[in-house]
Amino acid sequence: SLGTIEAYAFQQCPKLKTVITGSIATIENFAFFDCNELEYVEIYGGLEEGKVGDNIFNGCEKLSTVLLGNGSIELGYAMFKGCSALEEITLPESILVIGDSAFDGTSLKTIRIPTDVKEIGKGAFTNCTALAEINVDNKNDYYFSVDGVLYSMELGSLLLCPAGKSGEVAVWEGTETIA
């Protein structure tokens, strides 16, 4: 078990291609920032709420495979921003928070929001032009989706129509606001 990966520990390592770790309690800001050749990340457990730094994998343009172990509960601010090769990710059921700009500029095509996610930050899916649908687990108490469009349970508002959605969008009839 690894306690902490400190801020900037691997920043701009130009030849780093793979990262595999055991359980981690904390990953600090910019830990793998701008590792342009990084393609594969596997993290088992850890990633506790409030202990996930900002911009951890920001700018890792070739990052295409990310495996997060159950026990990870937060995706920090801009965690995968600019990871343009990232087309899919399976979020573990333990995730509670998806931070602001977490997936900004990725190439995600679809994403499933797990049951216990209680917060999706602003701009979490900004510039995700390939994202065609967001699917929320039916047991989630905070969010739901209809035809791949993300809604807030509490506010009854349409939060996000994915940028890659094509065809017709029928707004859910209980919608009070469009954010």
Side-chain angles (χ1 to χ4, degrees):
S1 163
L2 183 61
T4 301
I5 296 177
E6 293 188 3
Y8 305 100
F10 295 94
Q11 177 190 12
Q12 297 176 329
C13 287
K15 296 180 182 177
L16 184 65
K17 290 189 177 281
T18 301
V19 173
I20 301 174
T21 72
S23 182
I24 298 175
T26 305
I27 302 179
E28 295 181 349
N29 296 344
F30 298 96
F32 297 93
F33 177 74
D34 227 4
C35 291
N36 294 330
E37 296 299 316
L38 184 62
E39 297 173 353
Y40 183 93
V41 171
E42 198 170 319
I43 299 173
Y44 294 102
L47 300 184
E48 299 172 12
E49 189 170 11
K51 296 194 175 190
V52 178
D54 297 341
N55 296 285
I56 292 172
F57 297 103
N58 186 337
C60 297
E61 298 167 352
K62 292 186 180 178
L63 184 60
S64 60
T65 303
V66 176
L67 303 173
L68 298 173
N70 214 21
S72 299
I73 61 174
E74 179 180 12
L75 300 179
Y77 170 80
M79 187 164 180
F80 298 106
K81 183 175 182 175
C83 296
S84 55
L86 188 62
E87 294 182 357
E88 64 180 310
I89 189 169
T90 301
L91 299 179
E93 288 302 316
S94 55
I95 292 288
L96 300 176
V97 176
I98 299 172
D100 294 353
S101 303
F103 295 102
D104 183 351
T106 64
S107 295
L108 292 176
K109 295 178 181 172
T110 182
I111 191 162
R112 180 188 166 276
I113 307 298
T115 302
D116 294 328
V117 170
K118 63 182 180 182
E119 180 182 336
I120 299 174
K122 290 182 172 88
F125 302 103
T126 298
N127 299 313
C128 293
T129 57
L131 186 62
E133 62 180 14
I134 300 169
N135 297 306
V136 179
D137 187 281
N138 291 334
K139 295 178 185 170
N140 187 297
D141 291 332
Y142 301 93
Y143 300 97
F144 66 98
S145 57
V146 177
D147 295 327
V149 176
L150 180 65
Y151 292 86
S152 166
M153 191 78 75
E154 180 184 358
L155 304 174
S157 64
L158 186 156
L159 297 178
L160 179 66
C161 178
K165 185 146 185 79
S166 61
E168 183 176 301
V169 174
V171 176
W172 176 66
E173 68 179 58
T175 303
E176 294 178 24
T177 59
I178 297 177

Coordinates of all heavy atoms in Angstrom, one line a residue, residues 15-102:
K15 N 9.0 9.9 -21.2 CA 9.0 8.5 -21.7 C 8.2 7.5 -20.9 O 8.1 6.4 -21.2 CB 10.5 8.0 -21.7 CG 11.3 8.8 -22.7 CD 12.7 8.3 -22.8 CE 13.6 9.2 -23.7 NZ 15.0 8.8 -23.8
L16 N 7.5 8.1 -19.9 CA 6.6 7.2 -19.0 C 5.4 6.8 -19.8 O 4.7 7.6 -20.3 CB 6.2 8.1 -17.8 CG 5.4 7.3 -16.7 CD1 6.2 6.2 -16.1 CD2 4.9 8.3 -15.7
K17 N 5.2 5.5 -19.9 CA 4.1 4.9 -20.7 C 3.0 4.2 -19.8 O 1.9 4.2 -20.2 CB 4.6 3.9 -21.7 CG 5.4 4.6 -22.8 CD 5.7 3.6 -23.9 CE 6.4 4.2 -25.1 NZ 5.5 5.0 -26.0
T18 N 3.4 3.7 -18.7 CA 2.5 2.9 -17.9 C 2.7 3.2 -16.4 O 3.9 3.3 -15.9 CB 2.8 1.3 -18.1 OG1 2.6 1.0 -19.5 CG2 1.9 0.5 -17.3
V19 N 1.6 3.3 -15.7 CA 1.6 3.4 -14.2 C 0.7 2.4 -13.6 O -0.5 2.3 -13.9 CB 1.2 4.8 -13.8 CG1 1.1 4.9 -12.3 CG2 2.1 5.9 -14.3
I20 N 1.2 1.6 -12.7 CA 0.4 0.6 -12.0 C 0.8 0.7 -10.5 O 2.0 0.6 -10.2 CB 0.7 -0.9 -12.5 CG1 0.4 -1.0 -14.0 CG2 -0.1 -1.9 -11.7 CD1 0.8 -2.3 -14.6
T21 N -0.2 0.9 -9.7 CA 0.1 1.1 -8.3 C -0.8 0.2 -7.4 O -1.8 -0.3 -7.9 CB -0.2 2.6 -7.8 OG1 -1.6 2.8 -7.8 CG2 0.5 3.6 -8.7
G22 N -0.4 0.1 -6.2 CA -1.3 -0.6 -5.2 C -2.3 0.5 -4.7 O -2.5 1.5 -5.3
S23 N -2.8 0.2 -3.6 CA -3.8 1.2 -3.0 C -3.0 2.5 -2.6 O -1.9 2.5 -2.1 CB -4.4 0.5 -1.7 OG -5.3 1.4 -1.1
I24 N -3.7 3.6 -2.9 CA -3.1 4.9 -2.7 C -4.1 5.7 -1.9 O -5.3 5.7 -2.2 CB -2.8 5.7 -4.0 CG1 -1.8 4.9 -4.8 CG2 -2.3 7.1 -3.7 CD1 -1.6 5.5 -6.1
A25 N -3.7 6.4 -0.8 CA -4.5 7.2 0.0 C -4.7 8.6 -0.7 O -5.7 9.2 -0.7 CB -4.0 7.3 1.4
T26 N -3.5 9.1 -1.2 CA -3.5 10.5 -1.7 C -2.7 10.6 -3.0 O -1.6 10.1 -3.0 CB -2.9 11.4 -0.6 OG1 -3.6 11.3 0.6 CG2 -2.9 12.9 -1.1
I27 N -3.2 11.4 -3.9 CA -2.4 11.8 -5.1 C -2.5 13.3 -5.2 O -3.6 13.8 -5.3 CB -3.0 11.2 -6.4 CG1 -3.0 9.6 -6.4 CG2 -2.1 11.6 -7.6 CD1 -3.5 9.0 -7.6
E28 N -1.4 13.9 -5.1 CA -1.4 15.4 -5.0 C -1.4 16.0 -6.4 O -1.2 15.4 -7.4 CB -0.2 15.9 -4.2 CG -0.3 15.4 -2.7 CD 0.9 15.9 -1.8 OE1 1.9 16.4 -2.4 OE2 0.8 15.7 -0.6
N29 N -1.6 17.4 -6.4 CA -1.7 18.2 -7.6 C -0.6 17.9 -8.6 O 0.5 17.7 -8.3 CB -1.6 19.7 -7.3 CG -2.8 20.1 -6.4 OD1 -3.8 19.5 -6.3 ND2 -2.6 21.3 -5.9
F30 N -1.1 17.8 -9.9 CA -0.2 17.7 -11.0 C 0.8 16.5 -11.0 O 1.9 16.5 -11.6 CB 0.7 19.0 -11.2 CG -0.2 20.2 -11.5 CD1 -0.6 21.0 -10.4 CD2 -0.6 20.5 -12.7 CE1 -1.3 22.2 -10.7 CE2 -1.4 21.6 -13.0 CZ -1.8 22.5 -11.9
A31 N 0.5 15.4 -10.2 CA 1.4 14.3 -10.0 C 1.9 13.7 -11.4 O 3.1 13.4 -11.5 CB 0.7 13.2 -9.2
F32 N 1.0 13.6 -12.4 CA 1.4 13.1 -13.7 C 1.2 14.1 -14.8 O 1.0 13.7 -16.0 CB 0.7 11.8 -14.0 CG 0.9 10.7 -13.0 CD1 0.2 10.5 -11.9 CD2 2.0 9.8 -13.2 CE1 0.4 9.5 -11.0 CE2 2.3 8.8 -12.3 CZ 1.5 8.6 -11.2
F33 N 1.1 15.3 -14.5 CA 0.8 16.4 -15.4 C 1.7 16.3 -16.6 O 2.9 16.2 -16.5 CB 0.9 17.7 -14.7 CG 0.7 18.9 -15.6 CD1 -0.6 19.2 -16.0 CD2 1.7 19.7 -16.0 CE1 -0.9 20.3 -16.8 CE2 1.5 20.8 -16.9 CZ 0.2 21.1 -17.3
D34 N 1.1 16.4 -17.8 CA 1.8 16.5 -19.1 C 2.8 15.4 -19.4 O 3.8 15.7 -20.0 CB 2.5 17.9 -19.1 CG 2.3 18.7 -20.3 OD1 1.5 18.2 -21.2 OD2 2.9 19.7 -20.5
C35 N 2.5 14.2 -18.9 CA 3.3 13.0 -19.3 C 2.7 12.6 -20.7 O 1.8 11.7 -20.8 CB 3.1 11.9 -18.3 SG 3.9 12.3 -16.7
N36 N 3.2 13.2 -21.7 CA 2.7 13.0 -23.1 C 2.6 11.6 -23.6 O 1.8 11.3 -24.5 CB 3.4 13.9 -24.1 CG 3.2 15.4 -23.8 OD1 2.2 15.8 -23.3 ND2 4.2 16.2 -24.0
E37 N 3.5 10.7 -23.2 CA 3.5 9.4 -23.7 C 2.8 8.4 -22.8 O 2.7 7.2 -23.1 CB 5.0 8.9 -23.8 CG 5.8 9.7 -24.9 CD 5.2 9.6 -26.3 OE1 4.9 8.5 -26.7 OE2 5.1 10.7 -26.9
L38 N 2.3 8.8 -21.7 CA 1.5 7.9 -20.7 C 0.3 7.4 -21.4 O -0.5 8.2 -21.9 CB 1.2 8.7 -19.5 CG 0.5 7.9 -18.4 CD1 1.4 6.7 -17.9 CD2 0.1 8.8 -17.2
E39 N 0.2 6.1 -21.5 CA -1.0 5.4 -22.2 C -1.9 4.6 -21.2 O -3.0 4.4 -21.5 CB -0.4 4.5 -23.2 CG 0.4 5.2 -24.3 CD 1.0 4.2 -25.3 OE1 1.0 2.9 -25.0 OE2 1.6 4.6 -26.3
Y40 N -1.3 4.1 -20.1 CA -2.0 3.1 -19.3 C -1.8 3.4 -17.8 O -0.7 3.6 -17.4 CB -1.5 1.7 -19.6 CG -2.2 0.6 -18.9 CD1 -3.2 -0.1 -19.5 CD2 -1.7 0.2 -17.6 CE1 -3.9 -1.1 -18.9 CE2 -2.4 -0.9 -17.0 CZ -3.4 -1.5 -17.6 OH -4.1 -2.6 -17.0
V41 N -2.9 3.5 -17.1 CA -2.9 3.8 -15.7 C -3.8 2.8 -15.0 O -5.0 2.6 -15.3 CB -3.4 5.2 -15.3 CG1 -3.5 5.4 -13.8 CG2 -2.4 6.2 -15.9
E42 N -3.3 2.1 -13.9 CA -4.0 1.2 -13.1 C -3.8 1.5 -11.6 O -2.7 1.5 -11.2 CB -3.5 -0.2 -13.4 CG -4.4 -1.3 -13.0 CD -4.0 -2.7 -13.6 OE1 -3.5 -2.7 -14.7 OE2 -4.1 -3.6 -12.8
I43 N -4.9 1.9 -11.0 CA -4.8 2.3 -9.5 C -5.8 1.5 -8.8 O -7.0 1.5 -9.1 CB -5.1 3.8 -9.3 CG1 -4.1 4.7 -10.1 CG2 -5.1 4.2 -7.9 CD1 -4.4 6.1 -10.1
Y44 N -5.3 0.7 -7.8 CA -6.2 -0.1 -7.0 C -6.5 0.6 -5.7 O -5.7 1.0 -5.0 CB -5.5 -1.4 -6.6 CG -5.2 -2.3 -7.8 CD1 -4.0 -2.4 -8.4 CD2 -6.3 -3.0 -8.4 CE1 -3.7 -3.2 -9.5 CE2 -6.1 -3.8 -9.5 CZ -4.8 -3.9 -10.0 OH -4.6 -4.7 -11.1
G45 N -7.8 0.8 -5.5 CA -8.3 1.4 -4.2 C -7.8 2.8 -4.1 O -7.3 3.4 -5.0
G46 N -8.0 3.3 -2.9 CA -7.5 4.7 -2.5 C -8.4 5.8 -3.1 O -9.6 5.7 -3.2
L47 N -7.7 6.9 -3.4 CA -8.3 8.1 -4.0 C -9.5 8.5 -3.1 O -10.6 8.6 -3.5 CB -8.8 7.9 -5.4 CG -7.7 7.5 -6.4 CD1 -8.2 7.4 -7.8 CD2 -6.5 8.5 -6.4
E48 N -9.2 8.8 -1.9 CA -10.2 9.2 -0.9 C -10.6 10.7 -1.1 O -9.9 11.5 -1.6 CB -9.6 9.1 0.5 CG -9.2 7.7 0.9 CD -8.5 7.6 2.2 OE1 -8.4 8.6 3.0 OE2 -7.9 6.5 2.5
E49 N -11.9 10.9 -0.8 CA -12.4 12.3 -1.0 C -11.6 13.3 -0.2 O -11.3 13.1 1.0 CB -13.9 12.3 -0.5 CG -14.6 13.6 -0.8 CD -16.1 13.5 -0.6 OE1 -16.6 12.5 0.1 OE2 -16.8 14.4 -1.0
G50 N -11.3 14.4 -0.9 CA -10.5 15.4 -0.2 C -9.0 15.2 -0.3 O -8.2 16.0 0.1
K51 N -8.6 14.0 -0.8 CA -7.2 13.6 -0.9 C -6.8 13.4 -2.3 O -5.8 12.7 -2.6 CB -6.9 12.4 0.0 CG -7.2 12.7 1.4 CD -6.6 11.6 2.3 CE -6.7 12.0 3.8 NZ -6.0 11.2 4.6
V52 N -7.5 13.9 -3.3 CA -7.2 13.8 -4.7 C -6.9 15.2 -5.2 O -7.7 16.1 -5.1 CB -8.4 13.2 -5.5 CG1 -8.1 13.1 -6.9 CG2 -8.7 11.8 -4.9
G53 N -5.7 15.4 -5.7 CA -5.3 16.7 -6.1 C -5.9 17.1 -7.4 O -6.7 16.4 -8.0
D54 N -5.6 18.3 -7.9 CA -6.1 18.8 -9.1 C -5.1 18.5 -10.3 O -3.9 18.3 -10.1 CB -6.1 20.4 -9.0 CG -7.1 20.8 -8.0 OD1 -8.0 20.1 -7.6 OD2 -7.0 22.0 -7.6
N55 N -5.7 18.3 -11.4 CA -4.9 18.2 -12.7 C -3.9 17.0 -12.7 O -2.9 17.0 -13.3 CB -4.1 19.5 -12.9 CG -5.0 20.7 -13.2 OD1 -5.6 20.8 -14.3 ND2 -5.1 21.5 -12.2
I56 N -4.3 15.9 -12.0 CA -3.4 14.8 -11.9 C -2.9 14.2 -13.2 O -1.7 14.0 -13.3 CB -4.1 13.7 -11.0 CG1 -4.3 14.2 -9.6 CG2 -3.2 12.4 -11.0 CD1 -5.1 13.2 -8.7
F57 N -3.8 14.0 -14.1 CA -3.4 13.5 -15.4 C -3.6 14.5 -16.6 O -3.5 14.2 -17.7 CB -4.1 12.2 -15.8 CG -3.9 11.1 -14.8 CD1 -4.8 10.7 -13.8 CD2 -2.7 10.4 -14.9 CE1 -4.5 9.7 -12.9 CE2 -2.4 9.3 -14.0 CZ -3.4 9.0 -13.0
N58 N -3.8 15.7 -16.2 CA -4.0 16.8 -17.2 C -2.9 16.8 -18.2 O -1.7 16.8 -17.9 CB -4.1 18.1 -16.5 CG -4.5 19.3 -17.4 OD1 -4.4 19.2 -18.6 ND2 -5.1 20.3 -16.8
G59 N -3.3 16.8 -19.5 CA -2.3 16.9 -20.6 C -1.7 15.6 -21.0 O -0.8 15.6 -21.8
C60 N -2.1 14.5 -20.5 CA -1.6 13.2 -20.9 C -2.3 12.8 -22.1 O -3.3 12.0 -22.1 CB -1.7 12.2 -19.7 SG -0.8 12.6 -18.3
E61 N -1.9 13.3 -23.3 CA -2.7 13.2 -24.5 C -2.9 11.8 -25.0 O -3.8 11.5 -25.7 CB -2.0 14.0 -25.6 CG -1.9 15.5 -25.3 CD -0.9 16.2 -26.2 OE1 -0.2 15.6 -27.0 OE2 -0.9 17.5 -26.1
K62 N -1.9 10.9 -24.7 CA -2.0 9.5 -25.2 C -2.7 8.5 -24.2 O -2.8 7.3 -24.5 CB -0.6 9.0 -25.6 CG -0.1 9.7 -26.8 CD 1.2 9.1 -27.2 CE 1.7 9.9 -28.5 NZ 3.0 9.3 -28.9
L63 N -3.1 9.0 -23.0 CA -3.7 8.2 -22.0 C -5.0 7.6 -22.6 O -6.0 8.3 -22.8 CB -4.0 8.9 -20.7 CG -4.5 8.1 -19.6 CD1 -3.6 7.0 -19.2 CD2 -4.8 9.1 -18.4
S64 N -5.0 6.3 -22.8 CA -6.2 5.7 -23.4 C -6.9 4.6 -22.5 O -8.0 4.3 -22.7 CB -5.9 5.0 -24.7 OG -4.9 4.0 -24.5
T65 N -6.1 4.1 -21.5 CA -6.7 3.1 -20.6 C -6.5 3.5 -19.2 O -5.4 3.8 -18.7 CB -6.0 1.7 -20.8 OG1 -6.2 1.4 -22.2 CG2 -6.7 0.7 -20.0
V66 N -7.6 3.6 -18.4 CA -7.6 3.9 -17.0 C -8.4 2.9 -16.2 O -9.6 2.8 -16.5 CB -8.1 5.3 -16.7 CG1 -8.1 5.6 -15.2 CG2 -7.3 6.4 -17.4
L67 N -7.8 2.2 -15.3 CA -8.5 1.3 -14.4 C -8.4 1.8 -13.0 O -7.3 1.9 -12.5 CB -7.9 -0.1 -14.6 CG -7.9 -0.7 -16.0 CD1 -7.1 -2.0 -16.0 CD2 -9.2 -0.9 -16.5
L68 N -9.5 2.1 -12.4 CA -9.6 2.6 -11.0 C -10.2 1.5 -10.2 O -11.3 1.0 -10.5 CB -10.4 3.9 -10.9 CG -9.9 5.1 -11.7 CD1 -10.9 6.2 -11.6 CD2 -8.5 5.5 -11.2
G69 N -9.6 1.1 -9.1 CA -10.1 0.1 -8.3 C -11.2 0.6 -7.4 O -11.4 1.8 -7.1
N70 N -12.1 -0.4 -7.0 CA -13.1 0.0 -6.0 C -12.5 0.5 -4.8 O -11.5 0.0 -4.3 CB -14.0 -1.2 -5.8 CG -15.5 -0.8 -5.6 OD1 -15.9 0.3 -6.0 ND2 -16.2 -1.7 -4.9
G71 N -13.1 1.5 -4.2 CA -12.5 2.2 -3.0 C -12.1 3.6 -3.4 O -12.0 4.5 -2.6
S72 N -12.0 3.9 -4.7 CA -11.7 5.3 -5.2 C -13.1 6.0 -5.0 O -14.1 5.5 -5.5 CB -11.3 5.2 -6.6 OG -10.1 4.5 -6.8
I73 N -13.0 7.2 -4.4 CA -14.3 7.9 -4.2 C -14.4 9.3 -4.8 O -15.4 9.9 -4.8 CB -14.7 7.9 -2.7 CG1 -13.7 8.6 -1.9 CG2 -15.0 6.5 -2.2 CD1 -14.2 8.8 -0.4
E74 N -13.3 9.7 -5.3 CA -13.3 11.1 -5.9 C -12.4 11.2 -7.1 O -11.3 10.6 -7.2 CB -12.8 12.1 -4.9 CG -12.8 13.5 -5.4 CD -12.4 14.6 -4.4 OE1 -11.8 14.2 -3.4 OE2 -12.5 15.8 -4.7
L75 N -12.9 11.9 -8.1 CA -12.1 12.2 -9.3 C -12.0 13.7 -9.2 O -12.9 14.5 -9.2 CB -12.9 11.9 -10.6 CG -13.2 10.4 -10.8 CD1 -13.9 10.3 -12.2 CD2 -12.0 9.6 -10.8
G76 N -10.7 14.2 -9.0 CA -10.4 15.6 -8.7 C -10.6 16.5 -9.9 O -10.9 16.1 -11.0
Y77 N -10.5 17.8 -9.6 CA -10.6 18.9 -10.6 C -9.7 18.6 -11.8 O -8.5 18.4 -11.6 CB -10.3 20.2 -9.9 CG -10.1 21.4 -10.9 CD1 -11.3 22.0 -11.4 CD2 -8.9 21.8 -11.4 CE1 -11.2 23.0 -12.4 CE2 -8.8 22.8 -12.3 CZ -9.9 23.4 -12.8 OH -9.8 24.4 -13.7
A78 N -10.2 18.6 -13.0 CA -9.4 18.5 -14.2 C -8.6 17.2 -14.2 O -7.5 17.2 -14.9 CB -8.6 19.7 -14.5
M79 N -9.0 16.2 -13.6 CA -8.2 15.0 -13.4 C -7.7 14.4 -14.7 O -6.6 14.0 -14.9 CB -9.0 13.9 -12.6 CG -8.1 12.7 -12.3 SD -9.0 11.8 -11.0 CE -7.8 10.4 -10.8
F80 N -8.6 14.4 -15.7 CA -8.3 13.8 -17.0 C -8.4 14.9 -18.1 O -8.5 14.5 -19.3 CB -9.2 12.6 -17.4 CG -9.1 11.5 -16.4 CD1 -10.1 11.3 -15.4 CD2 -7.9 10.7 -16.4 CE1 -9.9 10.2 -14.5 CE2 -7.8 9.6 -15.5 CZ -8.8 9.4 -14.6
K81 N -8.3 16.1 -17.8 CA -8.4 17.2 -18.8 C -7.3 17.1 -19.8 O -6.2 16.9 -19.5 CB -8.3 18.6 -18.1 CG -8.5 19.7 -19.0 CD -8.5 21.0 -18.3 CE -8.7 22.2 -19.3 NZ -8.8 23.5 -18.6
G82 N -7.8 17.2 -21.1 CA -6.8 17.1 -22.2 C -6.3 15.7 -22.5 O -5.4 15.6 -23.3
C83 N -6.9 14.7 -21.9 CA -6.5 13.3 -22.2 C -7.3 12.9 -23.5 O -8.3 12.1 -23.4 CB -6.8 12.4 -21.0 SG -5.8 12.8 -19.6
S84 N -6.9 13.4 -24.6 CA -7.7 13.3 -25.8 C -7.8 11.8 -26.4 O -8.7 11.6 -27.1 CB -7.2 14.2 -26.9 OG -5.8 14.0 -27.1
A85 N -7.0 10.9 -25.9 CA -7.1 9.5 -26.4 C -8.0 8.7 -25.5 O -8.3 7.6 -25.8 CB -5.7 8.9 -26.4
L86 N -8.5 9.3 -24.4 CA -9.4 8.5 -23.5 C -10.8 8.5 -24.0 O -11.5 9.5 -24.0 CB -9.4 9.2 -22.1 CG -10.1 8.5 -21.0 CD1 -9.4 7.1 -20.7 CD2 -10.0 9.3 -19.7
E87 N -11.1 7.3 -24.6 CA -12.4 7.1 -25.2 C -13.4 6.4 -24.3 O -14.6 6.5 -24.5 CB -12.3 6.3 -26.5 CG -11.5 7.0 -27.6 CD -11.4 6.3 -28.9 OE1 -11.9 5.1 -28.9 OE2 -10.9 6.8 -29.8
E88 N -12.9 5.7 -23.3 CA -13.9 5.0 -22.4 C -13.2 4.8 -21.0 O -12.0 4.8 -20.9 CB -14.3 3.6 -22.9 CG -13.2 2.6 -23.0 CD -13.6 1.3 -23.6 OE1 -14.6 0.7 -23.0 OE2 -13.0 0.8 -24.5
I89 N -14.1 4.8 -20.0 CA -13.6 4.6 -18.6 C -14.8 4.0 -17.9 O -16.0 4.3 -18.1 CB -13.2 5.9 -17.9 CG1 -12.5 5.6 -16.6 CG2 -14.3 6.9 -17.8 CD1 -11.8 6.8 -16.0
T90 N -14.5 3.0 -17.0 CA -15.5 2.4 -16.2 C -15.3 3.0 -14.8 O -14.2 2.7 -14.2 CB -15.4 0.9 -16.2 OG1 -15.6 0.4 -17.5 CG2 -16.4 0.3 -15.3
L91 N -16.2 3.7 -14.3 CA -16.1 4.3 -12.9 C -16.5 3.2 -11.9 O -17.5 2.6 -12.0 CB -17.0 5.5 -12.8 CG -16.7 6.7 -13.7 CD1 -17.6 7.8 -13.5 CD2 -15.2 7.1 -13.6
P92 N -15.7 3.1 -10.9 CA -16.0 2.1 -9.9 C -17.3 2.5 -9.1 O -17.6 3.7 -9.0 CB -14.8 2.0 -8.9 CG -14.0 3.2 -9.3 CD -14.4 3.7 -10.6
E93 N -18.0 1.6 -8.6 CA -19.2 1.9 -7.8 C -19.0 2.8 -6.6 O -19.9 3.4 -6.1 CB -19.9 0.6 -7.4 CG -20.5 -0.2 -8.5 CD -21.6 0.6 -9.2 OE1 -22.4 1.3 -8.6 OE2 -21.6 0.5 -10.5
S94 N -17.8 2.8 -6.1 CA -17.4 3.6 -4.9 C -17.3 5.1 -5.2 O -17.3 5.9 -4.2 CB -16.1 3.1 -4.3 OG -15.1 3.1 -5.3
I95 N -17.3 5.5 -6.4 CA -17.2 7.0 -6.8 C -18.3 7.8 -6.2 O -19.5 7.4 -6.4 CB -17.0 7.2 -8.3 CG1 -15.7 6.6 -8.8 CG2 -17.2 8.7 -8.6 CD1 -14.5 7.4 -8.4
L96 N -18.0 8.8 -5.5 CA -19.0 9.8 -4.9 C -19.0 11.1 -5.6 O -20.0 11.8 -5.7 CB -18.8 10.0 -3.4 CG -18.8 8.8 -2.5 CD1 -18.5 9.1 -1.1 CD2 -20.2 8.1 -2.6
V97 N -17.8 11.6 -6.1 CA -17.6 12.9 -6.6 C -16.9 12.9 -7.9 O -15.8 12.2 -8.0 CB -16.8 13.8 -5.6 CG1 -16.6 15.2 -6.2 CG2 -17.6 13.9 -4.3
I98 N -17.4 13.5 -8.9 CA -16.7 13.8 -10.2 C -16.5 15.3 -10.2 O -17.4 16.1 -10.3 CB -17.6 13.3 -11.4 CG1 -17.9 11.8 -11.3 CG2 -16.9 13.7 -12.7 CD1 -18.9 11.3 -12.4
G99 N -15.2 15.6 -10.1 CA -14.8 17.1 -9.9 C -15.1 17.9 -11.2 O -15.3 17.4 -12.3
D100 N -15.0 19.2 -10.9 CA -15.1 20.2 -12.0 C -14.1 19.8 -13.1 O -12.9 19.5 -12.8 CB -14.8 21.6 -11.5 CG -15.8 22.2 -10.6 OD1 -16.9 21.5 -10.4 OD2 -15.6 23.2 -10.0
S101 N -14.5 19.9 -14.4 CA -13.6 19.7 -15.5 C -12.9 18.4 -15.6 O -11.9 18.2 -16.2 CB -12.6 20.9 -15.6 OG -13.2 22.1 -15.7
A102 N -13.4 17.4 -14.8 CA -12.7 16.1 -14.7 C -12.4 15.4 -16.0 O -11.3 14.9 -16.2 CB -13.6 15.1 -13.8

